[in-house]
Amino acid sequence: MSETSYRRRAGLSRRGRLLLLLAFALLVTNAVVLFLLLRETGAPVRTLVVPEGWRASQVYAAVDKGLDLPPGTTKVAAAKAHLKLPAEAKGNPEGYLYPATYPITDDTTPGGLLAYMVETANKQFGQDRTAVHARHGRLTAYQMVTIAGIVQAEAETPADMGKVSRVIRNRLALGMPLQMDSTLNYALNRSTLTTTAAETRTDSPYNTYQHKGLPPTPIGNPGRQAMSAALNPVPGNWLYFVTVAPGDTRFTESYAQQELNVAEFNEHQKKAAKAG
């Protein structure tokens, strides 16, 4: 599709501009109210659901599909949308495409929708509050979102989020590599439960087995609970954790105990493979 035809497709009509302004004005109000108000304009209203933890690539694909655009259109639009991101993000909206249900109409543009998502993230995360917590922990607000993205990906349940956050903080404080499979999965563009020794040697800044500290960007788009856990890790001395089986995530400060837990996880995986 040519640039000219794209602009005709994506250009905002007067009604579209009014809808976008209305969306921003109601940024933090109930989604049902926003949906009803948009419907009152006479435009057919649909919804686009962005689940917690989705990566930017998944959001782009969903927006392309939801707006009936050629694949790759939203990714291109993201680079041109002048999104209100921290300077550290360098224009990459990963971590700030807030998980929610968004109303869309025939007048919705990918750039406008992404801007709405970023504005929602900035409101929901509360940048002033995040910055205060970050300074207290000697981290930037952007790094707090990065931690929240890992928490979102690693914690099996909301109850585990605060503990995962504490493990991350404890490892950072000790100068230990995070060794998070979720960051390596991001580097390899996959989502798996197991990681091989060879994969831990992958050459990527997102490989937290090889590189100490946080990855250079968030690895997904966290929701409010994950962000709250990142800002408020629960007290504990844990350095390791593994989900041995669904509903059974074990946290420990002992490497010897972690090895036992991992062995049990591996045994459970073998049994599950045979049963499957």
Side-chain angles (χ1 to χ4, degrees):
M1 180 178 292
S2 69
E3 180 67 18
T4 301
S5 62
Y6 170 76
R7 286 179 177 171
R8 283 201 300 267
R9 169 80 184 209
L12 281 173
S13 64
R14 181 174 180 275
R15 184 179 68 180
R17 289 193 295 272
L18 290 173
L19 290 174
L20 187 58
L21 287 172
L22 178 60
F24 276 104
L26 298 170
L27 196 56
V28 293
T29 63
N30 189 291
V32 174
V33 174
L34 178 56
F35 182 92
L36 293 174
L37 286 172
L38 287 174
R39 193 170 64 180
E40 286 299 313
T41 66
V45 182
R46 309 181 301 279
T47 57
L48 176 70
V49 178
V50 176
E52 295 175 343
W54 261 16
R55 298 168 183 168
S57 59
Q58 293 172 291
V59 177
Y60 296 157
V63 173
D64 285 341
K65 183 177 180 180
L67 299 183
D68 192 26
L69 297 169
T73 300
T74 301
K75 182 178 180 179
V76 172
K80 302 177 180 179
H82 303 293
L83 302 173
K84 295 180 180 179
L85 298 164
E88 293 169 271
K90 298 178 181 178
N92 180 357
E94 190 76 86
Y96 289 82
L97 302 176
Y98 192 76
T101 298
Y102 293 94
I104 57 175
T105 73
D106 291 341
D107 290 309
T108 301
T109 66
L113 185 55
L114 293 179
Y116 185 18
M117 292 179 185
V118 172
E119 286 287 345
T120 303
N122 287 330
K123 292 289 185 180
Q124 293 294 334
F125 292 160
Q127 291 302 300
D128 292 340
R129 178 171 59 88
T130 301
V132 169
H133 280 266
R135 285 196 298 271
H136 182 70
R138 296 184 180 179
L139 296 165
T140 68
Y142 186 67
Q143 287 174 319
M144 297 303 299
V145 177
T146 301
I147 291 175
I150 298 174
V151 169
Q152 187 76 67
E154 291 282 351
E156 189 193 25
T157 66
D160 288 337
M161 287 182 173
K163 291 183 177 181
V164 172
S165 179
R166 175 52 65 189
V167 170
I168 295 171
R169 293 295 193 96
N170 288 346
R171 281 179 167 254
L172 290 174
L174 292 174
M176 294 177 64
L178 295 183
Q179 297 181 318
M180 297 288 173
D181 290 350
S182 58
T183 65
L184 184 55
N185 283 339
Y186 188 81
L188 298 173
N189 192 29
R190 67 177 192 184
S191 296
T192 66
L193 293 176
T194 57
T195 298
T196 67
E199 288 168 343
T200 63
R201 295 190 288 272
T202 299
D203 183 17
S204 169
Y206 291 92
N207 182 359
T208 55
Y209 283 89
Q210 297 291 326
H211 299 279
K212 293 182 180 180
L214 293 169
T217 73
I219 60 168
N221 295 282
R224 184 183 297 178
Q225 287 179 308
M227 190 64 189
S228 178
L231 294 171
N232 304 287
V234 299
N237 296 321
W238 311 292
L239 293 172
Y240 312 94
F241 67 91
V242 62
T243 299
V244 174
D248 182 12
T249 299
R250 301 179 190 176
F251 295 81
T252 181
E253 60 183 296
S254 164
Y255 181 69
Q257 183 60 53
Q258 173 71 356
E259 286 188 309
L260 294 174
N261 293 340
V262 170
E264 192 170 339
F265 163 77
N266 289 333
E267 187 62 29
H268 186 273
Q269 290 297 107
K270 290 178 182 178
K271 290 180 180 179
K274 289 180 179 179

